[in-house]
C-alpha cells in the first residue's frame, strides 16, 4: 500500500505547546501533503512538500520529509485551541494525475 | 475566495435507489475528483476527471458509479443502485495543476437505509 500512516492516532496538548505528528509511507512519492479536517467538515490543504525538498515552513507549520526513511513530520508551534482537528498526510506518485493516498490521521486536541 | 461547493449536504436514501451528488468546482480548475470517507476510516480516492474523461479510478469505483460534467460548471457523481456500504461522506475536489494542492468541498453525507 502507498498510503500514509500517521502517528500518533491521537494527541492531546495544552495551548502554547508544540504538536508533532508523524507520517510514514511505503513507496516512492512525487510529493507529500498535509491536510486538516475539522469534525464533519471538508479537508483543508495545509502544506505540500516535494520529494526533492527536506523542509518547508508556512506560518506556525513546519514540515520535514525524509525520503530515505519514507517519513514526514508536521510540527505546529505555539498551538491554539482552534488547531483542534484531524490532520492527515497524503502522498502522490508521479504516474497518477492528482490521486492522493491518505493516512488514517492524527486527532489533535488542544486544551485552552 | 473561490471554493468548491457540494449539494446536497446530507441525503438519506433507500437501498437500491439512485443518488446523484453534485459539485461545482473552482471555475478555472481543470482536474476534478471524488473521494469518500466512511465514518472513522481513511479518506479514499474514487475517481479523477480531466479533459472530459475519467483519468483514473479506484477499485471502489465499479459499474454502479459514474461521473459526468454536464456543463461548464457542474461535476456530478451518480450511484446507480445504492448499497448500505455506500453510506459515507463524499468529497468533491478540484485542482489547477497536478500533482498539486487539492481544494475540497464540505462534503455530501450519504446515508443508505
Amino acid at each position: 500500500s502507498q498510503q500514509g500512516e500517521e502517528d500518533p492516532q491521537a494527541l492531546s496538548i495544552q495551548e502554547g505547546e508544540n504538536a508533532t505528528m508523524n507520517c510514514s509511507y511505503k513507496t516512492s512519492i512525487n510529493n507529500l501533503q498535509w491536510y486538516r479536517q475539522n469534525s464533519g467538515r471538508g479537508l483543508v490543504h495545509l502544506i505540500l512538500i516535494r520529494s526533492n525538498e527536506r523542509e518547508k515552513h508556512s506560518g506556525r507549520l513546519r514540515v520535514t520529509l525524509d525520503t530515505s526513511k519514507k517519513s514526514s513530520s508536521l510540527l505546529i508551534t505555539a498551538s491554539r485551541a482552534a488547531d483542534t482537528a484531524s490532520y492527515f498526510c497524503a502522498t502522490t506518485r508521479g504516474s497518477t494525475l492528482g490521486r492522493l493516498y491518505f493516512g488514517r490521521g492524527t486527532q489533535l486536541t488542544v486544551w485552552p | 475566495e473561490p471554493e468548491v461547493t457540494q449539494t446536497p449536504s446530507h441525503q438519506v436514501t433507500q437501498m437500491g435507489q439512485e443518488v446523484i451528488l453534485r459539485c461545482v468546482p473552482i471555475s478555472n480548475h481543470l482536474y476534478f475528483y471524488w473521494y469518500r470517507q466512511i465514518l472513522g476510516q481513511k479518506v479514499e480516492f474514487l475517481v479523477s476527471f480531466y479533459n472530459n474523461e475519467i483519468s483514473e479510478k479506484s477499485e471502489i469505483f465499479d459499474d454502479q458509479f459514474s461521473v459526468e460534467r454536464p456543463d461548464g460548471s457542474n461535476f456530478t457523481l451518480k450511484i446507480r443502485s445504492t448499497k448500505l456500504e455506500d453510506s459515507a461522506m463524499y468529497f468533491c475536489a478540484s485542482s489547477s495543476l497536478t500533482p498539486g494542492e487539492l481544494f475540497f468541498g464540505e462534503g455530501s453525507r450519504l446515508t443508505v437505509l
Side-chain angles (χ1 to χ4, degrees):
Chain A
S1 166
Q2 300 180 48
Q3 293 161 323
E5 297 292 343
E6 293 90 338
D7 76 87
Q9 289 187 341
L11 181 60
S12 187
I13 59 174
Q14 295 290 131
E15 262 191 333
E17 294 180 340
N18 294 342
T20 299
M21 289 160 272
N22 302 297
C23 168
S24 61
Y25 55 92
K26 295 182 180 177
T27 64
S28 296
I29 62 170
N30 186 288
N31 65 50
L32 186 144
Q33 304 178 36
W34 285 90
Y35 287 81
R36 164 195 168 124
Q37 184 182 35
N38 285 52
S39 181
R41 305 291 298 275
L43 295 125
V44 176
H45 181 267
L46 295 176
I47 198 163
L48 180 154
I49 186 164
R50 292 183 171 77
S51 59
N52 61 353
E53 297 176 311
R54 292 296 166 258
E55 187 170 312
K56 207 159 182 182
H57 297 254
S58 177
R60 294 185 296 113
L61 305 180
R62 174 178 168 252
V63 168
T64 63
L65 179 64
D66 187 336
T67 52
S68 66
K69 294 181 180 177
K70 292 187 169 58
S71 67
S72 172
S73 68
L74 171 68
L75 168 68
I76 304 174
T77 59
S79 61
R80 306 165 182 166
D83 294 328
T84 295
S86 292
Y87 292 82
F88 297 89
C89 71
T91 56
T92 66
R93 60 178 178 173
S95 61
T96 59
L97 293 180
R99 176 174 181 171
L100 294 176
Y101 295 84
F102 281 88
R104 290 190 182 280
T106 294
Q107 172 60 51
L108 173 66
T109 303
V110 183
W111 298 100
Chain B
E1 188 173 323
E3 58 181 17
V4 175
T5 57
Q6 290 186 240
T7 54
S9 56
H10 189 191
Q11 181 153 359
V12 181
T13 190
Q14 295 290 325
M15 193 169 54
Q17 294 296 303
E18 177 182 285
V19 161
I20 297 175
L21 305 178
R22 293 183 167 79
C23 170
V24 179
I26 294 174
S27 62
N28 62 346
H29 284 185
L30 301 175
Y31 303 90
F32 313 113
Y33 314 88
W34 284 100
Y35 285 79
R36 80 173 187 190
Q37 185 179 33
I38 294 172
L39 189 63
Q41 297 189 23
K42 296 184 182 186
V43 177
E44 302 173 293
F45 169 82
L46 292 177
V47 66
S48 57
F49 193 86
Y50 170 70
N51 202 26
N52 283 320
E53 61 182 23
I54 291 174
S55 43
E56 187 176 0
K57 59 184 180 179
S58 72
E59 55 280 1
I60 301 168
F61 195 88
D62 61 21
D63 292 343
Q64 294 299 313
F65 291 88
S66 63
V67 289
E68 196 176 39
R69 188 154 162 83
D71 52 44
S73 59
N74 291 284
F75 180 51
T76 62
L77 174 70
K78 182 193 288 186
I79 309 174
R80 237 177 297 280
S81 177
T82 50
K83 301 175 239 182
L84 295 176
E85 54 265 36
D86 294 328
S87 294
M89 183 75 94
Y90 288 80
F91 292 106
C92 174
S94 67
S95 64
S96 58
L97 49 83
T98 187
E101 172 186 357
L102 266 60
F103 292 79
F104 283 83
E106 290 292 320
S108 293
R109 179 170 298 284
L110 176 64
T111 303
V112 182
L113 303 176

